Every structure is written in C-alpha cells, then in structure tokens.
Amino acid sequence: MLNILMSMTKEGASDGPQFVAPAKTSRDTLITTAYRLHRTRWRILEPYRRLKNALKKLQEDYLKSKEANALMRYVKLGQSVREVAMLEKQYWKLLNIPAQEGTEDANCYVVKIIELLEDTPTQLPPTRGIGALLQSTIGKPAEANVDTVLHDSLKARKSEDLVKECEGLYAQLYRLTKKYLGLRRLIKELHDKYEATRMFPIVPRYAMLKKMIKATLRAPEFADICHEQTE
C-alpha cells in the first residue's frame, strides 16, 4: 500500500497534509507513490473541471441575461439553472467522494481517497447494447498510453525530484478534493432549490431563480474558483 503516505508526520496535520518520505525509501516506492498520486489527481480533475465550467457559465449567463426584458430573462435564467442542476443527475460524469470527518487526520484522509478511487471503476452512461460495449473499450488504449508515458517520465527523474513531486502532488490532491466537494455541495443545493420551484407561477419563480443564482455565485466555494479559467 502507500508506505510513504502512511509514514507521514502527524505534527501540524490540522493545517493540512504533510508528505515526509522515510529515510530509507526505495526509488521504486517513490515512483509508485508519485504515479498513484498523479492518477488520483487526474481522476478527480475531470469532474472538477466539469462542475467549475458549469458554474462559471451560470455566472456568465446571469450577467448576460440582464440585457434582456423580464420575460426573456426569466426563460434564460430557468434554462441556465436547469443545465447546471442536471449535473446532479448525471452520476456517471461525477465522483462520489466522502467528506473529511471532523476528527479525521488530513494524512489519513488523502490516503483513503487514493485507495477509494483505485477501487472504484470509471462509471459509464446508462447505455445498452453495442453502445455500452464500445464505451467500455474505446478509451482503454489511449489511457494505457498515458499511463506508460507517465511511468516512463517518473522513472527518468532523480530520487530527490521524485520526493519534491510527491510533496507537491500530495498538497494539490488534498486541496483539489476539498474544492471538488465544495462545488458538489453547491450543485446539489441548486438542484434541490430548482426542483422545489418548478410548479410555482412565473412572477414568484422569477424572483426565486434570481435568488438561488445569487446565493450560488456568492458562496465561498464559488469565490474560491471564480478566478480560474474555463477549461
């Protein structure tokens, strides 16, 4: 398992995870650790970008809607919120990652996420027949090539560089996981609010749509990522 990660210091863990390689860590262990950290980060990065892009588009649509009249703006806002809310139902595009428990050490939490995602297969859209077969195989050759390139790149690095790589990846993975969970919470709340207003008349629902969008765009979780570029 993650021998290095499980050997981390506990001091200062409340401020975030710390990567500390044991004195006699083998080069192969460093390569394996860096590889697993990279793979886990990539696994979270795709759904994270999907959520981030959807929320940034919601912000853009909201600002543009101010140029329309009241009726057209109502329609545009409803469409924009619906597009974001639909992500909550598209489970195959997202990851179910548990939140860090109140008493859970940051180091142990990162190790848990790595092991959890390694044991969780990539989910596919609910397609049957030949479509499902194609979706299950079409991406495997490309993914294998990426893995090979990554592994060869890590093998070409010095041990001290691998330690630094692990240090940076460990902090990035923890931070990315926390941001992803924050965006998932925003999407879930927006979805629930949207569904709760679907049967309301236009006038009160118009105000509700504006209110739920403003609440989402003013949330700390969105403020944390609003400066990032759409990818």
PDB file of all heavy atoms in Angstrom, residues 136-174:
ATOM      1  N   SER A 136     -17.100   1.058 -23.160  1.00  0.00           N
ATOM      2  CA  SER A 136     -16.260   0.399 -22.164  1.00  0.00           C
ATOM      3  C   SER A 136     -14.862   0.091 -22.672  1.00  0.00           C
ATOM      4  O   SER A 136     -13.956  -0.202 -21.891  1.00  0.00           O
ATOM      5  CB  SER A 136     -16.926  -0.900 -21.700  1.00  0.00           C
ATOM      6  OG  SER A 136     -16.997  -1.823 -22.774  1.00  0.00           O
ATOM      7  N   THR A 137     -14.671   0.139 -24.015  1.00  0.00           N
ATOM      8  CA  THR A 137     -13.373  -0.242 -24.582  1.00  0.00           C
ATOM      9  C   THR A 137     -12.673   0.876 -25.334  1.00  0.00           C
ATOM     10  O   THR A 137     -11.454   0.844 -25.488  1.00  0.00           O
ATOM     11  CB  THR A 137     -13.555  -1.430 -25.556  1.00  0.00           C
ATOM     12  OG1 THR A 137     -14.477  -1.055 -26.596  1.00  0.00           O
ATOM     13  CG2 THR A 137     -14.110  -2.644 -24.819  1.00  0.00           C
ATOM     14  N   ILE A 138     -13.403   1.870 -25.802  1.00  0.00           N
ATOM     15  CA  ILE A 138     -12.826   2.866 -26.709  1.00  0.00           C
ATOM     16  C   ILE A 138     -11.721   3.686 -26.068  1.00  0.00           C
ATOM     17  O   ILE A 138     -10.767   4.100 -26.723  1.00  0.00           O
ATOM     18  CB  ILE A 138     -13.941   3.798 -27.266  1.00  0.00           C
ATOM     19  CG1 ILE A 138     -13.406   4.593 -28.462  1.00  0.00           C
ATOM     20  CG2 ILE A 138     -14.464   4.724 -26.173  1.00  0.00           C
ATOM     21  CD1 ILE A 138     -14.487   5.322 -29.227  1.00  0.00           C
ATOM     22  N   GLY A 139     -11.826   3.945 -24.745  1.00  0.00           N
ATOM     23  CA  GLY A 139     -10.833   4.802 -24.114  1.00  0.00           C
ATOM     24  C   GLY A 139      -9.645   4.063 -23.521  1.00  0.00           C
ATOM     25  O   GLY A 139      -8.684   4.689 -23.081  1.00  0.00           O
ATOM     26  N   LYS A 140      -9.681   2.731 -23.525  1.00  0.00           N
ATOM     27  CA  LYS A 140      -8.635   1.962 -22.854  1.00  0.00           C
ATOM     28  C   LYS A 140      -7.256   2.083 -23.503  1.00  0.00           C
ATOM     29  O   LYS A 140      -6.258   2.236 -22.806  1.00  0.00           O
ATOM     30  CB  LYS A 140      -9.066   0.496 -22.753  1.00  0.00           C
ATOM     31  CG  LYS A 140     -10.199   0.294 -21.743  1.00  0.00           C
ATOM     32  CD  LYS A 140     -10.542  -1.165 -21.564  1.00  0.00           C
ATOM     33  CE  LYS A 140     -11.644  -1.338 -20.518  1.00  0.00           C
ATOM     34  NZ  LYS A 140     -12.011  -2.752 -20.319  1.00  0.00           N
ATOM     35  N   PRO A 141      -7.133   2.002 -24.847  1.00  0.00           N
ATOM     36  CA  PRO A 141      -5.796   2.152 -25.448  1.00  0.00           C
ATOM     37  C   PRO A 141      -5.170   3.505 -25.158  1.00  0.00           C
ATOM     38  O   PRO A 141      -3.984   3.588 -24.821  1.00  0.00           O
ATOM     39  CB  PRO A 141      -6.083   1.975 -26.949  1.00  0.00           C
ATOM     40  CG  PRO A 141      -7.334   1.169 -27.009  1.00  0.00           C
ATOM     41  CD  PRO A 141      -8.155   1.641 -25.845  1.00  0.00           C
ATOM     42  N   ALA A 142      -5.948   4.577 -25.265  1.00  0.00           N
ATOM     43  CA  ALA A 142      -5.413   5.916 -25.002  1.00  0.00           C
ATOM     44  C   ALA A 142      -4.997   6.050 -23.544  1.00  0.00           C
ATOM     45  O   ALA A 142      -3.953   6.637 -23.229  1.00  0.00           O
ATOM     46  CB  ALA A 142      -6.461   6.971 -25.349  1.00  0.00           C
ATOM     47  N   GLU A 143      -5.802   5.498 -22.636  1.00  0.00           N
ATOM     48  CA  GLU A 143      -5.473   5.577 -21.216  1.00  0.00           C
ATOM     49  C   GLU A 143      -4.203   4.802 -20.908  1.00  0.00           C
ATOM     50  O   GLU A 143      -3.367   5.239 -20.110  1.00  0.00           O
ATOM     51  CB  GLU A 143      -6.636   5.016 -20.394  1.00  0.00           C
ATOM     52  CG  GLU A 143      -6.450   5.159 -18.892  1.00  0.00           C
ATOM     53  CD  GLU A 143      -7.665   4.697 -18.111  1.00  0.00           C
ATOM     54  OE1 GLU A 143      -8.708   4.469 -18.726  1.00  0.00           O
ATOM     55  OE2 GLU A 143      -7.547   4.574 -16.876  1.00  0.00           O
ATOM     56  N   ALA A 144      -4.037   3.659 -21.558  1.00  0.00           N
ATOM     57  CA  ALA A 144      -2.829   2.859 -21.354  1.00  0.00           C
ATOM     58  C   ALA A 144      -1.596   3.611 -21.837  1.00  0.00           C
ATOM     59  O   ALA A 144      -0.528   3.553 -21.203  1.00  0.00           O
ATOM     60  CB  ALA A 144      -2.960   1.524 -22.088  1.00  0.00           C
ATOM     61  N   ASN A 145      -1.723   4.330 -22.945  1.00  0.00           N
ATOM     62  CA  ASN A 145      -0.597   5.111 -23.473  1.00  0.00           C
ATOM     63  C   ASN A 145      -0.209   6.227 -22.508  1.00  0.00           C
ATOM     64  O   ASN A 145       0.976   6.494 -22.293  1.00  0.00           O
ATOM     65  CB  ASN A 145      -0.967   5.713 -24.834  1.00  0.00           C
ATOM     66  CG  ASN A 145      -1.047   4.661 -25.924  1.00  0.00           C
ATOM     67  OD1 ASN A 145      -0.453   3.589 -25.802  1.00  0.00           O
ATOM     68  ND2 ASN A 145      -1.785   4.959 -26.983  1.00  0.00           N
ATOM     69  N   VAL A 146      -1.216   6.896 -21.937  1.00  0.00           N
ATOM     70  CA  VAL A 146      -0.949   7.960 -20.971  1.00  0.00           C
ATOM     71  C   VAL A 146      -0.233   7.394 -19.755  1.00  0.00           C
ATOM     72  O   VAL A 146       0.718   7.987 -19.235  1.00  0.00           O
ATOM     73  CB  VAL A 146      -2.272   8.648 -20.550  1.00  0.00           C
ATOM     74  CG1 VAL A 146      -2.021   9.596 -19.378  1.00  0.00           C
ATOM     75  CG2 VAL A 146      -2.860   9.414 -21.718  1.00  0.00           C
ATOM     76  N   ASP A 147      -0.674   6.229 -19.275  1.00  0.00           N
ATOM     77  CA  ASP A 147      -0.033   5.595 -18.123  1.00  0.00           C
ATOM     78  C   ASP A 147       1.422   5.265 -18.410  1.00  0.00           C
ATOM     79  O   ASP A 147       2.301   5.455 -17.561  1.00  0.00           O
ATOM     80  CB  ASP A 147      -0.784   4.316 -17.742  1.00  0.00           C
ATOM     81  CG  ASP A 147      -2.104   4.601 -17.055  1.00  0.00           C
ATOM     82  OD1 ASP A 147      -2.321   5.760 -16.661  1.00  0.00           O
ATOM     83  OD2 ASP A 147      -2.917   3.666 -16.903  1.00  0.00           O
ATOM     84  N   THR A 148       1.675   4.772 -19.604  1.00  0.00           N
ATOM     85  CA  THR A 148       3.039   4.406 -19.972  1.00  0.00           C
ATOM     86  C   THR A 148       3.944   5.631 -20.017  1.00  0.00           C
ATOM     87  O   THR A 148       5.076   5.608 -19.508  1.00  0.00           O
ATOM     88  CB  THR A 148       3.044   3.705 -21.345  1.00  0.00           C
ATOM     89  OG1 THR A 148       2.243   2.521 -21.283  1.00  0.00           O
ATOM     90  CG2 THR A 148       4.463   3.331 -21.751  1.00  0.00           C
ATOM     91  N   VAL A 149       3.452   6.699 -20.627  1.00  0.00           N
ATOM     92  CA  VAL A 149       4.227   7.944 -20.707  1.00  0.00           C
ATOM     93  C   VAL A 149       4.502   8.490 -19.313  1.00  0.00           C
ATOM     94  O   VAL A 149       5.618   8.933 -19.008  1.00  0.00           O
ATOM     95  CB  VAL A 149       3.476   8.992 -21.559  1.00  0.00           C
ATOM     96  CG1 VAL A 149       4.175  10.349 -21.472  1.00  0.00           C
ATOM     97  CG2 VAL A 149       3.392   8.541 -23.004  1.00  0.00           C
ATOM     98  N   LEU A 150       3.491   8.470 -18.449  1.00  0.00           N
ATOM     99  CA  LEU A 150       3.663   8.965 -17.086  1.00  0.00           C
ATOM    100  C   LEU A 150       4.702   8.148 -16.340  1.00  0.00           C
ATOM    101  O   LEU A 150       5.603   8.706 -15.697  1.00  0.00           O
ATOM    102  CB  LEU A 150       2.327   8.917 -16.336  1.00  0.00           C
ATOM    103  CG  LEU A 150       2.380   9.190 -14.831  1.00  0.00           C
ATOM    104  CD1 LEU A 150       2.919  10.590 -14.552  1.00  0.00           C
ATOM    105  CD2 LEU A 150       0.997   9.019 -14.198  1.00  0.00           C
ATOM    106  N   HIS A 151       4.601   6.832 -16.420  1.00  0.00           N
ATOM    107  CA  HIS A 151       5.528   5.966 -15.689  1.00  0.00           C
ATOM    108  C   HIS A 151       6.956   6.150 -16.191  1.00  0.00           C
ATOM    109  O   HIS A 151       7.903   6.219 -15.399  1.00  0.00           O
ATOM    110  CB  HIS A 151       5.093   4.509 -15.834  1.00  0.00           C
ATOM    111  CG  HIS A 151       5.693   3.608 -14.797  1.00  0.00           C
ATOM    112  ND1 HIS A 151       6.856   2.910 -15.016  1.00  0.00           N
ATOM    113  CD2 HIS A 151       5.307   3.309 -13.527  1.00  0.00           C
ATOM    114  CE1 HIS A 151       7.162   2.206 -13.948  1.00  0.00           C
ATOM    115  NE2 HIS A 151       6.244   2.427 -13.017  1.00  0.00           N
ATOM    116  N   ASP A 152       7.122   6.243 -17.502  1.00  0.00           N
ATOM    117  CA  ASP A 152       8.462   6.432 -18.070  1.00  0.00           C
ATOM    118  C   ASP A 152       9.035   7.789 -17.650  1.00  0.00           C
ATOM    119  O   ASP A 152      10.244   7.912 -17.387  1.00  0.00           O
ATOM    120  CB  ASP A 152       8.405   6.354 -19.595  1.00  0.00           C
ATOM    121  CG  ASP A 152       8.130   4.948 -20.086  1.00  0.00           C
ATOM    122  OD1 ASP A 152       8.274   4.004 -19.283  1.00  0.00           O
ATOM    123  OD2 ASP A 152       7.761   4.789 -21.271  1.00  0.00           O
ATOM    124  N   SER A 153       8.177   8.806 -17.599  1.00  0.00           N
ATOM    125  CA  SER A 153       8.627  10.138 -17.185  1.00  0.00           C
ATOM    126  C   SER A 153       9.099  10.131 -15.738  1.00  0.00           C
ATOM    127  O   SER A 153      10.129  10.744 -15.407  1.00  0.00           O
ATOM    128  CB  SER A 153       7.483  11.142 -17.357  1.00  0.00           C
ATOM    129  OG  SER A 153       7.829  12.398 -16.825  1.00  0.00           O
ATOM    130  N   LEU A 154       8.386   9.434 -14.876  1.00  0.00           N
ATOM    131  CA  LEU A 154       8.761   9.366 -13.465  1.00  0.00           C
ATOM    132  C   LEU A 154      10.055   8.572 -13.279  1.00  0.00           C
ATOM    133  O   LEU A 154      10.899   8.928 -12.452  1.00  0.00           O
ATOM    134  CB  LEU A 154       7.641   8.736 -12.647  1.00  0.00           C
ATOM    135  CG  LEU A 154       6.334   9.554 -12.555  1.00  0.00           C
ATOM    136  CD1 LEU A 154       5.241   8.745 -11.871  1.00  0.00           C
ATOM    137  CD2 LEU A 154       6.569  10.861 -11.804  1.00  0.00           C
ATOM    138  N   LYS A 155      10.232   7.524 -14.041  1.00  0.00           N
ATOM    139  CA  LYS A 155      11.439   6.702 -13.938  1.00  0.00           C
ATOM    140  C   LYS A 155      12.684   7.477 -14.341  1.00  0.00           C
ATOM    141  O   LYS A 155      13.794   7.176 -13.880  1.00  0.00           O
ATOM    142  CB  LYS A 155      11.297   5.455 -14.819  1.00  0.00           C
ATOM    143  CG  LYS A 155      10.364   4.401 -14.250  1.00  0.00           C
ATOM    144  CD  LYS A 155      10.084   3.312 -15.269  1.00  0.00           C
ATOM    145  CE  LYS A 155      11.337   2.597 -15.698  1.00  0.00           C
ATOM    146  NZ  LYS A 155      11.033   1.489 -16.651  1.00  0.00           N
ATOM    147  N   ALA A 156      12.516   8.492 -15.182  1.00  0.00           N
ATOM    148  CA  ALA A 156      13.663   9.263 -15.670  1.00  0.00           C
ATOM    149  C   ALA A 156      14.104  10.345 -14.682  1.00  0.00           C
ATOM    150  O   ALA A 156      15.131  10.986 -14.896  1.00  0.00           O
ATOM    151  CB  ALA A 156      13.316   9.902 -17.009  1.00  0.00           C
ATOM    152  N   ARG A 157      13.380  10.534 -13.605  1.00  0.00           N
ATOM    153  CA  ARG A 157      13.697  11.606 -12.663  1.00  0.00           C
ATOM    154  C   ARG A 157      14.577  11.112 -11.515  1.00  0.00           C
ATOM    155  O   ARG A 157      14.591   9.930 -11.187  1.00  0.00           O
ATOM    156  CB  ARG A 157      12.406  12.206 -12.090  1.00  0.00           C
ATOM    157  CG  ARG A 157      11.491  12.765 -13.166  1.00  0.00           C
ATOM    158  CD  ARG A 157      10.287  13.452 -12.586  1.00  0.00           C
ATOM    159  NE  ARG A 157       9.348  13.823 -13.639  1.00  0.00           N
ATOM    160  CZ  ARG A 157       8.216  14.483 -13.436  1.00  0.00           C
ATOM    161  NH1 ARG A 157       7.889  14.851 -12.201  1.00  0.00           N
ATOM    162  NH2 ARG A 157       7.418  14.784 -14.437  1.00  0.00           N
ATOM    163  N   LYS A 158      15.280  12.054 -10.912  1.00  0.00           N
ATOM    164  CA  LYS A 158      16.115  11.734  -9.770  1.00  0.00           C
ATOM    165  C   LYS A 158      15.251  11.510  -8.531  1.00  0.00           C
ATOM    166  O   LYS A 158      14.125  12.017  -8.454  1.00  0.00           O
ATOM    167  CB  LYS A 158      17.103  12.870  -9.505  1.00  0.00           C
ATOM    168  CG  LYS A 158      18.067  13.135 -10.654  1.00  0.00           C
ATOM    169  CD  LYS A 158      18.990  14.294 -10.321  1.00  0.00           C
ATOM    170  CE  LYS A 158      19.968  14.579 -11.453  1.00  0.00           C
ATOM    171  NZ  LYS A 158      20.854  15.737 -11.143  1.00  0.00           N
ATOM    172  N   SER A 159      15.802  10.794  -7.574  1.00  0.00           N
ATOM    173  CA  SER A 159      15.034  10.481  -6.363  1.00  0.00           C
ATOM    174  C   SER A 159      14.620  11.738  -5.609  1.00  0.00           C
ATOM    175  O   SER A 159      13.487  11.845  -5.117  1.00  0.00           O
ATOM    176  CB  SER A 159      15.856   9.567  -5.441  1.00  0.00           C
ATOM    177  OG  SER A 159      16.083   8.316  -6.055  1.00  0.00           O
ATOM    178  N   GLU A 160      15.528  12.706  -5.513  1.00  0.00           N
ATOM    179  CA  GLU A 160      15.189  13.936  -4.792  1.00  0.00           C
ATOM    180  C   GLU A 160      14.069  14.715  -5.513  1.00  0.00           C
ATOM    181  O   GLU A 160      13.238  15.365  -4.873  1.00  0.00           O
ATOM    182  CB  GLU A 160      16.415  14.835  -4.618  1.00  0.00           C
ATOM    183  CG  GLU A 160      17.170  15.151  -5.893  1.00  0.00           C
ATOM    184  CD  GLU A 160      18.321  14.191  -6.137  1.00  0.00           C
ATOM    185  OE1 GLU A 160      18.208  13.008  -5.771  1.00  0.00           O
ATOM    186  OE2 GLU A 160      19.344  14.641  -6.712  1.00  0.00           O
ATOM    187  N   ASP A 161      14.064  14.619  -6.852  1.00  0.00           N
ATOM    188  CA  ASP A 161      12.991  15.266  -7.616  1.00  0.00           C
ATOM    189  C   ASP A 161      11.661  14.551  -7.405  1.00  0.00           C
ATOM    190  O   ASP A 161      10.595  15.183  -7.380  1.00  0.00           O
ATOM    191  CB  ASP A 161      13.329  15.293  -9.104  1.00  0.00           C
ATOM    192  CG  ASP A 161      14.507  16.203  -9.416  1.00  0.00           C
ATOM    193  OD1 ASP A 161      14.729  17.160  -8.639  1.00  0.00           O
ATOM    194  OD2 ASP A 161      15.203  15.959 -10.412  1.00  0.00           O
ATOM    195  N   LEU A 162      11.721  13.233  -7.248  1.00  0.00           N
ATOM    196  CA  LEU A 162      10.505  12.463  -7.000  1.00  0.00           C
ATOM    197  C   LEU A 162       9.905  12.814  -5.647  1.00  0.00           C
ATOM    198  O   LEU A 162       8.678  12.880  -5.489  1.00  0.00           O
ATOM    199  CB  LEU A 162      10.803  10.967  -7.075  1.00  0.00           C
ATOM    200  CG  LEU A 162      11.084  10.404  -8.468  1.00  0.00           C
ATOM    201  CD1 LEU A 162      11.577   8.968  -8.379  1.00  0.00           C
ATOM    202  CD2 LEU A 162       9.830  10.479  -9.337  1.00  0.00           C
ATOM    203  N   VAL A 163      10.772  13.033  -4.653  1.00  0.00           N
ATOM    204  CA  VAL A 163      10.283  13.425  -3.328  1.00  0.00           C
ATOM    205  C   VAL A 163       9.554  14.763  -3.415  1.00  0.00           C
ATOM    206  O   VAL A 163       8.458  14.932  -2.866  1.00  0.00           O
ATOM    207  CB  VAL A 163      11.450  13.509  -2.317  1.00  0.00           C
ATOM    208  CG1 VAL A 163      10.960  14.115  -0.993  1.00  0.00           C
ATOM    209  CG2 VAL A 163      12.039  12.127  -2.076  1.00  0.00           C
ATOM    210  N   LYS A 164      10.162  15.723  -4.120  1.00  0.00           N
ATOM    211  CA  LYS A 164       9.523  17.029  -4.293  1.00  0.00           C
ATOM    212  C   LYS A 164       8.214  16.905  -5.065  1.00  0.00           C
ATOM    213  O   LYS A 164       7.233  17.595  -4.772  1.00  0.00           O
ATOM    214  CB  LYS A 164      10.470  17.980  -5.013  1.00  0.00           C
ATOM    215  CG  LYS A 164      11.706  18.364  -4.207  1.00  0.00           C
ATOM    216  CD  LYS A 164      12.612  19.298  -5.009  1.00  0.00           C
ATOM    217  CE  LYS A 164      13.858  19.665  -4.213  1.00  0.00           C
ATOM    218  NZ  LYS A 164      14.766  20.541  -5.006  1.00  0.00           N
ATOM    219  N   GLU A 165       8.201  16.015  -6.055  1.00  0.00           N
ATOM    220  CA  GLU A 165       6.991  15.777  -6.839  1.00  0.00           C
ATOM    221  C   GLU A 165       5.861  15.272  -5.942  1.00  0.00           C
ATOM    222  O   GLU A 165       4.721  15.728  -6.029  1.00  0.00           O
ATOM    223  CB  GLU A 165       7.283  14.743  -7.930  1.00  0.00           C
ATOM    224  CG  GLU A 165       6.113  14.420  -8.822  1.00  0.00           C
ATOM    225  CD  GLU A 165       6.030  15.313 -10.041  1.00  0.00           C
ATOM    226  OE1 GLU A 165       6.841  16.244 -10.154  1.00  0.00           O
ATOM    227  OE2 GLU A 165       5.155  15.076 -10.881  1.00  0.00           O
ATOM    228  N   CYS A 166       6.195  14.340  -5.084  1.00  0.00           N
ATOM    229  CA  CYS A 166       5.197  13.781  -4.172  1.00  0.00           C
ATOM    230  C   CYS A 166       4.697  14.838  -3.190  1.00  0.00           C
ATOM    231  O   CYS A 166       3.503  14.887  -2.872  1.00  0.00           O
ATOM    232  CB  CYS A 166       5.776  12.593  -3.406  1.00  0.00           C
ATOM    233  SG  CYS A 166       6.052  11.117  -4.422  1.00  0.00           S
ATOM    234  N   GLU A 167       5.592  15.673  -2.721  1.00  0.00           N
ATOM    235  CA  GLU A 167       5.204  16.739  -1.790  1.00  0.00           C
ATOM    236  C   GLU A 167       4.163  17.655  -2.430  1.00  0.00           C
ATOM    237  O   GLU A 167       3.125  17.966  -1.834  1.00  0.00           O
ATOM    238  CB  GLU A 167       6.436  17.551  -1.379  1.00  0.00           C
ATOM    239  CG  GLU A 167       7.397  16.812  -0.461  1.00  0.00           C
ATOM    240  CD  GLU A 167       8.666  17.622  -0.208  1.00  0.00           C
ATOM    241  OE1 GLU A 167       8.815  18.696  -0.837  1.00  0.00           O
ATOM    242  OE2 GLU A 167       9.496  17.186   0.602  1.00  0.00           O
ATOM    243  N   GLY A 168       4.460  18.091  -3.672  1.00  0.00           N
ATOM    244  CA  GLY A 168       3.533  18.985  -4.356  1.00  0.00           C
ATOM    245  C   GLY A 168       2.221  18.311  -4.701  1.00  0.00           C
ATOM    246  O   GLY A 168       1.142  18.888  -4.510  1.00  0.00           O
ATOM    247  N   LEU A 169       2.279  17.069  -5.176  1.00  0.00           N
ATOM    248  CA  LEU A 169       1.060  16.353  -5.556  1.00  0.00           C
ATOM    249  C   LEU A 169       0.168  16.071  -4.358  1.00  0.00           C
ATOM    250  O   LEU A 169      -1.059  16.116  -4.456  1.00  0.00           O
ATOM    251  CB  LEU A 169       1.435  15.041  -6.247  1.00  0.00           C
ATOM    252  CG  LEU A 169       1.960  15.156  -7.674  1.00  0.00           C
ATOM    253  CD1 LEU A 169       2.526  13.822  -8.138  1.00  0.00           C
ATOM    254  CD2 LEU A 169       0.852  15.611  -8.609  1.00  0.00           C
ATOM    255  N   TYR A 170       0.779  15.771  -3.246  1.00  0.00           N
ATOM    256  CA  TYR A 170       0.009  15.448  -2.048  1.00  0.00           C
ATOM    257  C   TYR A 170      -0.818  16.659  -1.607  1.00  0.00           C
ATOM    258  O   TYR A 170      -2.011  16.547  -1.312  1.00  0.00           O
ATOM    259  CB  TYR A 170       0.953  15.007  -0.931  1.00  0.00           C
ATOM    260  CG  TYR A 170       0.249  14.318   0.204  1.00  0.00           C
ATOM    261  CD1 TYR A 170      -0.204  13.017   0.063  1.00  0.00           C
ATOM    262  CD2 TYR A 170       0.022  14.973   1.410  1.00  0.00           C
ATOM    263  CE1 TYR A 170      -0.855  12.379   1.097  1.00  0.00           C
ATOM    264  CE2 TYR A 170      -0.631  14.347   2.443  1.00  0.00           C
ATOM    265  CZ  TYR A 170      -1.071  13.047   2.285  1.00  0.00           C
ATOM    266  OH  TYR A 170      -1.731  12.420   3.303  1.00  0.00           O
ATOM    267  N   ALA A 171      -0.188  17.826  -1.581  1.00  0.00           N
ATOM    268  CA  ALA A 171      -0.907  19.050  -1.202  1.00  0.00           C
ATOM    269  C   ALA A 171      -1.970  19.401  -2.249  1.00  0.00           C
ATOM    270  O   ALA A 171      -3.084  19.811  -1.905  1.00  0.00           O
ATOM    271  CB  ALA A 171       0.086  20.202  -1.051  1.00  0.00           C
ATOM    272  N   GLN A 172      -1.639  19.231  -3.545  1.00  0.00           N
ATOM    273  CA  GLN A 172      -2.594  19.524  -4.618  1.00  0.00           C
ATOM    274  C   GLN A 172      -3.813  18.619  -4.541  1.00  0.00           C
ATOM    275  O   GLN A 172      -4.952  19.070  -4.728  1.00  0.00           O
ATOM    276  CB  GLN A 172      -1.921  19.354  -5.983  1.00  0.00           C
ATOM    277  CG  GLN A 172      -0.887  20.406  -6.327  1.00  0.00           C
ATOM    278  CD  GLN A 172      -0.191  20.095  -7.633  1.00  0.00           C
ATOM    279  OE1 GLN A 172      -0.785  19.525  -8.558  1.00  0.00           O
ATOM    280  NE2 GLN A 172       1.084  20.433  -7.726  1.00  0.00           N
ATOM    281  N   LEU A 173      -3.588  17.342  -4.265  1.00  0.00           N
ATOM    282  CA  LEU A 173      -4.685  16.386  -4.202  1.00  0.00           C
ATOM    283  C   LEU A 173      -5.640  16.710  -3.061  1.00  0.00           C
ATOM    284  O   LEU A 173      -6.867  16.646  -3.221  1.00  0.00           O
ATOM    285  CB  LEU A 173      -4.128  14.970  -4.049  1.00  0.00           C
ATOM    286  CG  LEU A 173      -5.146  13.836  -3.989  1.00  0.00           C
ATOM    287  CD1 LEU A 173      -6.041  13.856  -5.214  1.00  0.00           C
ATOM    288  CD2 LEU A 173      -4.433  12.494  -3.865  1.00  0.00           C
ATOM    289  N   TYR A 174      -5.091  17.069  -1.921  1.00  0.00           N
ATOM    290  CA  TYR A 174      -5.926  17.430  -0.771  1.00  0.00           C
ATOM    291  C   TYR A 174      -6.757  18.671  -1.086  1.00  0.00           C
ATOM    292  O   TYR A 174      -7.972  18.703  -0.851  1.00  0.00           O
ATOM    293  CB  TYR A 174      -5.032  17.680   0.445  1.00  0.00           C
ATOM    294  CG  TYR A 174      -5.801  18.047   1.692  1.00  0.00           C
ATOM    295  CD1 TYR A 174      -6.457  17.069   2.433  1.00  0.00           C
ATOM    296  CD2 TYR A 174      -5.856  19.364   2.139  1.00  0.00           C
ATOM    297  CE1 TYR A 174      -7.159  17.403   3.588  1.00  0.00           C
ATOM    298  CE2 TYR A 174      -6.558  19.706   3.281  1.00  0.00           C
ATOM    299  CZ  TYR A 174      -7.204  18.714   4.008  1.00  0.00           C
ATOM    300  OH  TYR A 174      -7.904  19.054   5.143  1.00  0.00           O
TER     301      TYR A 174
END
